[in-house]
Amino acid sequence: MKTPNRSVITAGAALLLGLLAAPAHAAIVYVSNAGNNTIGKFTSDGVGSVFASSGLNGPTGLAFDRAGNLYAANGGNETIEKFTAGGVGSVFASSGLSGPVELAFDRAGNLYAANNGNSTIEKFTPDGVGSVFASSGLNAPFGLAFDNAGNLYASNNGGGNIEKFTPSGVGSVFASGLTSPGALAFDKDGNLYVADVNDNLIKKFTPGGIGSVFANTGLSLPSGLAFDEAGNLYVTNNGTNTIRKITPGGAGSVFASSGLNGPFGIALTDDAGVPLPLPIPEPSSAMLLLFGGLFASRRARSRPRRDSGGDLGALPRCSAGRGHSS
């Protein structure tokens, strides 16, 4: 009986695809309450509780690191607070900040803060050492989000546009024509969503920068955006003290309407506490899976086969597609 030549590669590819397309889990939602200096935690059914209530002063943006620690921008005292999974807080950064709004992590674990007060973006190492990442092309920056290539997008609330920065900090205009752009979030297909705060709508931009209105009902001063694994978009309504959940098709409903006071930033984990969106494996990891399959297949094929007189066939070609994360 012939041994299938592609079996090892198929198994490796299946493992890789499994990492990129794991079954969706229920989302746990964390929201900063700028009105009463707390962070609320909501189950997938919208049942809320207080996650943290100390060390906060006008909390705005939220972001999880890969270890599951939650970071909150304190707009009132210009610091960034770090909370363990158990809600124990400590000061992560207290310099280089001026009216910090949104936060975002890159793949290396560096934290970026949009300084609305002095129109800069500050970058902090995992140890809390800060430096200016960008200071040009910004006008009262608000939202931050990374694409899958490591480019950082920043909404200019004062300039009505979205700036795109390469990993080295070189900026260019990605989209314009917005009234008061705020929070940003990417979906799994690489489309960028922006909350146009004063117009009470959410716009969607393709990777090429083509914009359209994604949602314009049930919104009141939308201030925070975050996607779950199933592609649902969660929006904090600062004007009505609610959280709205919008399906990929644009149908919206109220997710939570109690336990909120000036909701602003939002961040998600799955029901096991893993931060969302799930990180895509680094290219090196993906290639190791595929090359491992190729190597094992080559070894298998190097053994003489009884039915072919020991002749070696050509090694089958293998290709892999790249996934996207929000």
Side-chain angles (χ1 to χ4, degrees), residues 87-220:
V88 179
S90 59
V91 175
F92 172 74
S94 58
S95 62
L97 298 165
S98 178
V101 187
E102 291 289 348
L103 306 174
F105 277 98
D106 66 14
R107 279 185 169 179
N110 301 300
L111 179 63
Y112 295 71
N115 277 323
N116 191 268
N118 64 5
S119 295
T120 63
I121 297 174
E122 191 79 1
K123 174 183 176 180
F124 295 93
T125 67
D127 296 327
V129 178
S131 61
V132 175
F133 172 74
S135 59
S136 62
L138 296 168
N139 187 342
F142 188 119
L144 297 177
F146 279 96
D147 67 13
N148 196 42
N151 300 301
L152 178 62
Y153 294 70
S155 61
N156 277 319
N157 191 261
N161 65 351
I162 299 172
E163 193 81 1
K164 175 182 176 180
F165 294 93
T166 66
S168 61
V170 178
S172 60
V173 175
F174 172 74
S176 57
L178 297 155
T179 302
S180 53
L184 302 175
F186 278 98
D187 68 14
K188 63 182 179 180
D189 295 317
N191 300 300
L192 180 64
Y193 294 69
V194 54
D196 213 344
V197 181
N198 291 338
D199 281 351
N200 293 320
L201 57 82
I202 296 170
K203 286 190 174 180
K204 173 183 176 181
F205 290 90
T206 67
I210 299 174
S212 60
V213 174
F214 174 70
N216 60 3
T217 58
L219 301 170
S220 178

Side-chain angles (χ1 to χ4, degrees), residues 217-236:
T217 58
L219 301 170
S220 178
L221 299 180
S223 302
L225 303 177
F227 279 98
D228 67 13
E229 289 184 81
N232 300 301
L233 180 62
Y234 293 75
V235 185
T236 54

Side-chain angles (χ1 to χ4, degrees), residues 18-47:
L19 290 172
L20 298 179
H25 294 77
I28 305 299
V29 180
Y30 294 76
V31 176
S32 62
N33 283 312
N36 64 4
N37 298 322
T38 63
I39 296 175
K41 176 181 178 180
F42 294 84
T43 68
S44 58
D45 297 324
V47 178

